[in-house]
Amino acid sequence: IASSAMAPHKTHLAGPLNYEAFRNVDSLQLHAPFDWQEKERGEERSDNLQDSRREERLAKKLRQGLNVLVGVAVGLAAVLIRYGCEVLGSWRRGFLLNLLNGRGDFDWLFVQAVAVAIGLTSGLAVLATCCVMLSPPSAGSGIPGVLAYLNGVNVETSLKGKVMLAKAVGTIISVGGGLAVGPEGPMVHVGASVGMFVVRRCLAPALRRMGPTCHQLEKELSRQPMRYYVQAAVMGAGAGIAAAFNAPLAGTVFVVEEAASFFSKRLLLHTFITCACAVATTNIIASQLGLPPESVYTRTGGCLGDVTWSFSLAIQVTVVGVLCGLLATLFNRCVVTLSSVYAKQNAGLGFGCRLYMRRFAVSALVGGFCGAFAMCLPHSQPCQESSLQNAFSGSRGCVREDWLQQLVDGTHSVDTNLMPTQARGDGPRTTAYVPHPGLFGAQYNPVLCPYALQMSEACRLKGIEAHLPEHSPQASDYCCGFSNLTALKAGAFFNHLKPKASLRMGDEWPQAHCPGSSWDGDNKVRISHYSPGAALTLVSPTVVVRNLLTRGSPGILSWTSVALFLVGYFALAVGSATAWVPGGLLVPMMAIGAAVGRLCGMAVHYLLGSSSLSPQYAIPWIPELKPLFELLYPGSTIGQIDWEANPGVLALAGCAAFLSGSGSIVMFVLVLLLEVTLEPFLIPVILISVLAARTMTSLMGSHGLYHELMNVQSLPFLPEAAHWRQRHYTVKALLREDAQRAQAFTGEGDETLPPLLTVSTHASAREITDLLGEKLPGDAKPMVNGFPVVKEGGELCGIVTRDQLLELLKLLASEVGSHEEMRASTASSGTRSGNGRRTGSDVFLPLASLRPSRPTIGVAHVMDAAPFVLQENTPVLHAHMVFARCGLRHVVVVDSSHKPVGVLTRKSLMPWRTPWSYNNAEPHHDTFLEQRNAHSPIASPSTSPRNSPPGTPQTTSRVASRRGSKTDNTRQDVPDRSDDSVEVRLVGLGSAASLGALVQPSSASAS
């Protein structure tokens, strides 16, 4: 295929960034090979049925105990990380708030405070980078690596105990240090590592010490990674995210949707039990440590004004979803682009002082900007009063519980018919609230008001008589508001014309540079202040999201604070995500989306005059307050406003839209937010926003961020569904491409047959040694890990891996006293095997020490006698289904004579590697073909990726090469058959219906 015939390709966005790193990553074999050990186990089970039943019962109890053990361990790890983040973060935020205290002016003292904040945050960022320097796989959130491992990619080294420890410590430093990251993403990585650690270091050694039955069970489980390490990692990953969000259902759905490529109904139950145990452990230990509740949303009561669903609200939510989808696409492009630049720098500089100094500089720069942003945003925004009026202004109800308790003084049970239509309940009696005397500056109190009017005539409400009904209540039942009789006697009563009362907002709304309190002479009360900018920068990431999602208080955050936070935090999240520090992006994504939604809600709320709504219908007040509302708010709106929007509701819609649009995790977002909010009214809000965002990102051609980062990390992730172009090709087309690649390298060979390495069942030790040293054309070291085993006639009888051959040679060498030399030989290997071990590239065996009486070794004893096989005419779509459902490492391709013609791996099925045809008369210039040309293994140097070897075309297959070599047995001559013999070969499968349809036209023509 001539690459010059292709049109110039555009910059591709799919495929691995570094092709050599992509080829060096191996796959996992997620099922036990059917070798002699498996045969013996089967015979033992048949002979000893009683022992088999005992092992099965023990295995069931083991799985149940493993659920609890992994859940408790992950919950303990989660609460320790959370405790570390809280301690370090509280100290840092308290220190910065002390620096801001009293510095309201832009002077030299404020500049010094900003410089200290920059130095402190930069120093903590450098410390987090030190953790990554000690263990490079601990960088970032770790979610792409975990997803790849659970998909069958061998990245087990990133789940070791050293990486887990570095990830946990680095996450504490980066999150507590004020970087724009969250702990929820790393908890997935830590959870998967903890799950594997529990199985590897606790469960497996215990089984080996608990008697023969447990020992046999441990041996059986160790031969099936899918039931051993991978399932533990699946349950640990789900438990990690469940403990982070306090949502066990969300953790289970995350595993189903993203983490587990090979899922079963039984694993679903195990994962849910593990998530529930992790959440319970986290809550119990957190309560003992005195940690604050960890939730991104504060459930509120009295949401009566928000229960009405309207078409206008659907339009608003859709607009928010579209905007967040566009912004999520931009966010993904920025993160992927910066990550690609840094990855290329890492490959060019290598691990050394130059790379470390550059990464330290980037981390210090990002930390400095985070520190400056945390100080400058609060200082640039005006302070707001901590008053009941500020929290309740323009509210439709649904006020936070801790604020609602300060807004009301009590409740009454009243007849439902006496309540306004908007405030009526379902039963005959409705709970009505008595407002705080300072909320409206006036009150209805038939007990104290007559006494107050006698004490002070100024407490009388003039004009209240005109609004009273014919019968009770009386005018003397209404008076000015006052806290108690002592305050009334001192003349401290509220002014109903300009009411103002203090509100205790809590530590989530810091004071920062604002004055402590000010005296309000009209209402005789001291009013505190808070900084809206500090409520978005000098609190923990979870509290930031919770503040943005505050409902029932539209004016609690100014629009300038939210807008500046959105711009600054967006840039800092991109920088923090690409810096060399541990940290996740789930909470930053939620914060960015919540800021977009709140801005849209504030715009609708203020531009369309929603503030004219009467407070009478915000909360179900007692019916006796109706005359008071008519006196105080004569021109207010009574009915519903068609375009009314609660900024908190749209903030939640933006949170769901941005998280699902950027991460491409729809079901997880739906279940997470529904589980966190527990409000049925919000179901359509979350659903519409998620669908709108995902539709927009799909139209923009954006994939999930974590899947795009897998390409940056050059991980061969096999998607669940095949690419639509793959259904047009067969496996033979993939093999033909391998043959063309081999001919392009060597200039020899057949273009229709791929290069192949096979081993005979009677191969000698020297032949196997030479076979293990064979290299693909253009490779610097042997990279073949699977070898088809053939009979004398060339027919396939099994497959053997490099590990199995090396172990067999080690066993033979140990029999003649050469075990130490063999260990040194295999220790110097460079190719990764399916179980994470390194195998040799330059294999040397002491062949002179082998016994003359054993010229051949037992390849047939170690091979997989029942390998997965595909015919060469099998569609690529079917091959993809086999790999995706069964978790395979190798699949042998055979012809109609059952002779192997090639070996497929998961890398052979990557979407960008699908063969293509080119027609000069009808050229195709679509994006897929351009990407395919960019990754073509036979492309010219001018169109090959930069990672190609100089002067050589790039290789895209891990299929073994060198057909016809000295160790090749597939081209041996087949003995001649007698003339009366008939050769029978399988070429396909026909159904009775298809044969009947074929015979029917023939019968008609004959008649």
Side-chain angles (χ1 to χ4, degrees), residues 175-192:
V175 176
L179 300 183
V181 293
E184 287 76 12
M187 277 308 307
V188 177
H189 191 182
V190 173

Side-chain angles (χ1 to χ4, degrees), residues 591-922:
I592 294 173
V596 175
R598 191 165 191 90
L599 278 177
C600 295
M602 294 170 70
V604 175
H605 187 84
Y606 290 108
L607 293 180
L608 299 180
S610 298
S611 59
S612 62
L613 183 68
S614 173
Q616 177 182 1
Y617 304 100
I619 292 178
W621 304 115
I622 55 178
E624 290 81 3
L625 291 180
K626 183 178 179 181
L628 183 62
F629 289 138
E630 293 177 355
L631 173 67
L632 300 179
Y633 307 98
S636 60
T637 304
I638 297 178
Q640 296 284 345
I641 296 180
D642 293 337
W643 287 90
E644 167 66 14
N646 192 323
V649 174
L650 294 187
L652 184 65
C655 177
F658 193 91
L659 186 58
S660 61
S662 178
S664 186
I665 40 180
V666 177
M667 293 304 301
F668 166 72
V669 174
L670 289 174
V671 175
L672 172 65
L673 294 182
L674 291 178
E675 190 174 8
V676 168
T677 58
L678 294 179
E679 295 186 25
F681 162 72
L682 297 176
I683 294 178
V685 173
I686 299 172
L687 183 62
I688 293 176
S689 61
V690 167
L691 294 179
R694 285 298 300 137
T695 302
M696 182 54 58
T697 53
S698 299
L699 293 177
M700 297 294 294
S702 175
H703 304 283
L705 178 61
Y706 299 118
H707 292 274
E708 292 183 359
L709 290 178
M710 289 183 197
N711 292 330
V712 176
Q713 300 176 13
S714 304
L715 299 175
F717 183 88
L718 188 65
E720 183 179 2
H723 194 275
W724 64 272
R725 291 294 294 264
Q726 290 181 333
R727 67 186 62 185
H728 304 305
Y729 301 98
T730 63
V731 173
K732 189 175 182 179
L734 295 179
L735 301 180
R736 186 183 299 113
E737 183 183 12
D738 295 331
Q740 294 168 353
R741 179 205 62 194
Q743 188 186 37
F745 273 110
T746 62
E748 302 176 357
D750 190 354
E751 290 188 2
T752 61
L753 293 175
L756 185 66
L757 279 176
T758 60
V759 59
S760 173
T761 54
H762 303 291
S764 64
R766 184 177 298 277
E767 290 175 338
I768 293 178
T769 304
D770 295 338
L771 178 68
L772 294 177
E774 289 285 343
K775 296 182 292 186
L776 293 174
D779 287 344
K781 59 182 180 181
M783 301 184 67
V784 181
N785 287 315
F787 306 93
V789 182
V790 296
K791 302 178 182 178
E792 293 183 358
E795 293 85 0
L796 178 71
C797 61
I799 189 171
V800 65
T801 63
R802 178 179 293 270
D803 273 354
Q804 292 169 336
L805 292 178
L806 288 174
E807 292 294 333
L808 190 60
L809 292 176
K810 286 173 59 178
L811 178 62
L812 182 60
S814 64
E815 294 180 358
V816 294
S818 301
H819 180 65
E820 296 299 328
E821 292 186 44
M822 184 64 62
R823 183 188 306 176
S825 173
T826 56
S828 61
S829 60
T831 303
R832 267 188 299 221
S833 63
N835 56 9
R837 293 174 292 182
R838 309 288 295 189
T839 56
S841 56
D842 298 325
V843 181
F844 171 76
L845 297 175
L847 298 178
S849 63
L850 298 178
R851 299 180 188 178
S853 60
R854 302 210 26 198
T856 60
I857 59 177
V859 176
H861 294 82
V862 297
M863 72 177 183
D864 185 357
F868 283 82
V869 178
L870 290 175
Q871 288 284 336
E872 59 182 355
N873 292 326
T874 302
V876 178
L877 180 62
H878 294 179
H880 186 282
M881 292 172 58
V882 172
F883 269 94
R885 297 296 186 271
C886 301
L888 303 180
R889 188 182 179 193
H890 303 102
V891 170
V892 183
V893 181
V894 298
D895 58 10
S896 58
S897 301
H898 205 68
K899 295 181 179 179
V901 296
V903 177
L904 293 182
T905 65
R906 64 170 47 238
K907 299 176 186 178
S908 306
L909 302 175
M910 295 292 104
W912 47 265
R913 195 184 178 274
T914 303
W916 48 267
S917 59
Y918 183 79
N919 190 345
N920 292 328
E922 297 179 1

Side-chain angles (χ1 to χ4, degrees), residues 87-146:
V87 171
L88 180 59
S90 298
W91 173 82
R92 173 187 169 272
R93 292 190 294 269
F95 180 77
L96 296 183
L97 287 173
N98 289 333
L99 292 178
L100 278 177
N101 189 16
R103 292 180 173 87
D105 298 329
F106 188 83
D107 51 9
W108 178 245
L109 293 178
F110 174 72
V111 174
Q112 289 180 341
V114 173
V116 172
I118 291 174
L120 176 61
T121 312
S122 298
L124 294 174
V126 170
L127 286 179
T129 305
C130 292
C131 297
V132 178
M133 184 183 67
L134 297 176
S135 180
S138 63
S141 65
I143 293 181
V146 173

Side-chain angles (χ1 to χ4, degrees), residues 22 40 86 100 121 183 221 269 330 350 365 428 446 482 520 531 637 653 657 694 698 704 730 779 811 936:
F22 172 82
E40 290 184 353
E86 184 66 25
L100 278 177
T121 312
L221 293 179
L269 178 61
L330 177 62
L365 184 63
F482 50 87
D520 187 270
S531 172
T637 304
R694 285 298 300 137
S698 299
T730 63
D779 287 344
L811 178 62
S936 175

Side-chain angles (χ1 to χ4, degrees), residues 8 39 42 141 145 248 322 337 340 455-456 540 573 593 671 704 730 746 790 860 877:
K39 294 178 183 177
S141 65
V322 171
T337 301
S340 302
M455 291 184 59
S456 175
S540 65
V671 175
T730 63
T746 62
V790 296
L877 180 62

